[in-house]
Amino acid sequence: MSKIIGEPLKNIPWQDKPQDTKCTLPIWRFTENPIIKRNPIPGVSRVFNSAVAPYGDGFVGVFRGSEYDGVSYIYMGWSKDAIHWEFNDERIPFTDEKGEPFMPGYAYDPRLVKVEDTFYIIWCTDLYGASIGMAKTKDFKTFTRVENPFLPYNRNAVLFPRKINGKFVMLSRPSDTGHTPFGDVFLSESPDLIYWGKHRHVMSNKSSHWWESLKIGGGPAPIETDEGWLMLYHGVERTCNGYVYSIGGAILDRDEPSKVLYRSRAYLFTPEEDYETNGFVGNVCFPCATLCDSETGRIAIYYGAADTYVGLAFTTVDETIRFIKEHSETDEIDREIGIR
Ligand code: BMA
């Protein structure tokens, strides 16, 4: 049995896998999906691609809210059960390093990761083009901007939930100004969250895996397990009707996480239900966070559905790792040394 290395979370939301299904994929949906529907905040038409974390005896979340002019910002939400959410009506009031109010030009696809005693919000922001924004908080009252880690253009950055070999570690996906018809995941490290370097290639899109043949990008913070870091990510296929976003899985080496130990050639989850196939952008399942219970191995996955809703799905560490290993195909080319 694979094990999650981390804290227990007794109040993790949960439903057992349906018994009457022929689907052999390792992730299944919450039957009450979507958990966040249209117009959940005054002035915000759609909340999707959002991240949650345990906090106190409940949960806290950072939510991508698309306002009535179509621009996205980040809103905070609170929940007792991680299913029903109440939102603050105002955008998160970031401040800069001097304590002055700071509002990014836009902010989308937030991740929320606790490292040691601090929560970090990482999102896609405007730095003369799409790049990575960051802020930190300990109390969810004061949110202080952290330096932009990378040059434009970049998206889908997410921190690992602990330092590795004494360094902060972040996954990201260098990109371009538009809808980026390419994309590989890289890893960077930092001693202080200001200076980032030692960039390493982790994974590329794969033409032989049609569902992720166009591009891939990081998803939730990787989950530490006794087999390595369980990495859920999004993979994109280009079809004659547009892009399709599915969820893939890989296992990275615990001490050297740019090394891919296993990677599934099959997706783990793909748009199937109406709220995933229809909406502002149909056929999008975009995972940004998980909740994990180390005692039971349960994992709850939060994903944006059709750029319109937030969906919740479940798996166990054992089921997902078994699936990834059974379907694994790693033939990453290490371009630094030119070998597979
Ligand atoms: C990506 C990002 C995501 C979005 C996805 C599908 O490029 O912008 O926020 O969910 O496209 O539209």
Side-chain angles (χ1 to χ4, degrees):
M1 291 282 277
S2 309
K3 287 199 168 23
I4 292 172
I5 298 175
E7 303 287 314
L9 185 63
K10 288 206 181 324
N11 54 347
I12 187 170
W14 185 253
Q15 272 179 347
D16 286 332
K17 188 169 192 175
Q19 293 300 310
D20 56 350
T21 178
K22 291 195 175 130
C23 176
T24 53
L25 295 175
I27 300 176
W28 58 97
R29 291 165 179 81
F30 183 44
T31 50
E32 308 298 310
N33 265 355
I35 58 167
I36 300 172
K37 303 188 173 64
R38 287 185 192 256
N39 298 302
I41 303 170
V44 172
S45 57
R46 295 172 283 118
V47 162
F48 55 107
N49 300 5
S50 300
V52 307
Y55 187 66
D57 53 11
F59 300 89
V60 70
V62 292
F63 295 87
R64 171 176 180 170
S66 174
E67 300 184 356
Y68 289 168
D69 60 3
V71 181
S72 289
Y73 289 93
I74 306 174
Y75 289 77
M76 260 198 65
W78 303 93
S79 177
K80 290 200 171 68
D81 59 6
I83 295 170
H84 302 92
W85 290 88
E86 298 206 348
F87 301 102
N88 294 358
D89 283 354
E90 305 298 327
R91 301 171 189 164
I92 289 185
F94 296 107
T95 55
D96 67 15
E97 298 78 346
K98 293 188 194 122
E100 300 295 328
F102 162 76
M103 189 53 67
Y106 57 74
Y108 65 85
D109 298 354
R111 304 334 196 250
L112 177 64
V113 186
K114 190 177 183 198
V115 186
E116 296 169 353
D117 62 348
T118 304
F119 288 88
Y120 295 92
I121 307 172
I122 309 120
W123 68 89
C124 181
T125 199
D126 183 30
L127 180 71
Y128 300 91
S131 192
I132 305 304
M134 254 181 104
K136 60 182 177 184
T137 184
K138 287 188 180 171
D139 56 8
F140 289 94
K141 292 185 182 125
T142 310
F143 300 84
T144 312
R145 181 178 71 183
V146 179
E147 286 286 331
N148 294 80
F150 306 127
L151 293 168
Y153 308 100
N154 202 316
R155 288 185 173 92
N156 300 304
V158 62
L159 274 174
F160 281 68
R162 71 165 170 84
K163 291 181 183 168
I164 301 174
N165 304 319
K167 304 286 193 317
F168 291 97
V169 181
M170 184 129 79
L171 296 171
S172 76
R173 208 280 307 283
S175 61
D176 66 7
T177 52
H179 289 285
T180 313
F182 63 89
D184 307 332
V185 175
F186 288 81
L187 182 145
S188 310
E189 63 173 55
S190 171
D192 53 9
L193 289 174
I194 296 175
Y195 298 101
W196 290 88
K198 288 208 173 170
H199 309 292
R200 297 286 180 270
H201 171 262
V202 181
M203 302 195 303
S204 291
N205 63 321
K206 258 184 178 297
S207 53
S208 58
H209 303 173
W210 288 5
W211 67 272
E212 57 173 341
S213 50
L214 183 71
K215 59 177 169 174
I216 57 173
I223 300 166
E224 189 166 12
T225 79
D226 57 349
E227 306 258 0
W229 294 98
L230 170 57
M231 174 184 166
L232 300 177
Y233 63 97
H234 66 262
V236 185
E237 173 169 358
R238 178 165 30 205
T239 73
C240 54
N241 276 335
Y243 292 176
V244 178
Y245 283 67
S246 305
I247 303 179
I251 301 170
L252 312 178
D253 186 87
R254 261 171 92 187
D255 300 317
E256 223 182 302
S258 62
K259 263 196 206 156
V260 180
L261 303 180
Y262 303 96
R263 174 178 180 180
S264 176
R265 66 167 289 119
Y267 52 67
L268 276 49
F269 193 81
T270 198
E272 289 177 358
E273 295 293 331
D274 280 353
Y275 56 86
E276 297 162 348
T277 56
N278 291 308
F280 186 74
V281 183
N283 293 314
V284 177
C285 291
F286 195 95
C288 288
T290 59
L291 295 172
C292 302
D293 177 27
S294 58
E295 252 162 36
T296 56
R298 292 175 173 177
I299 300 175
I301 302 167
Y302 291 78
Y303 65 101
D307 286 7
T308 306
Y309 313 103
V310 174
L312 172 61
F314 305 109
T315 187
T316 64
V317 67
D318 203 49
E319 180 145 3
T320 287
I321 288 186
R322 193 162 0 106
F323 184 92
I324 293 172
K325 283 177 149 180
E326 276 172 13
H327 296 83
S328 183
E329 188 180 84
T330 46
D331 56 355
E332 296 302 316
I333 297 169
D334 188 334
R335 297 203 184 108
E336 274 152 61
I337 49 177
I339 57 161
R340 277 176 197 272

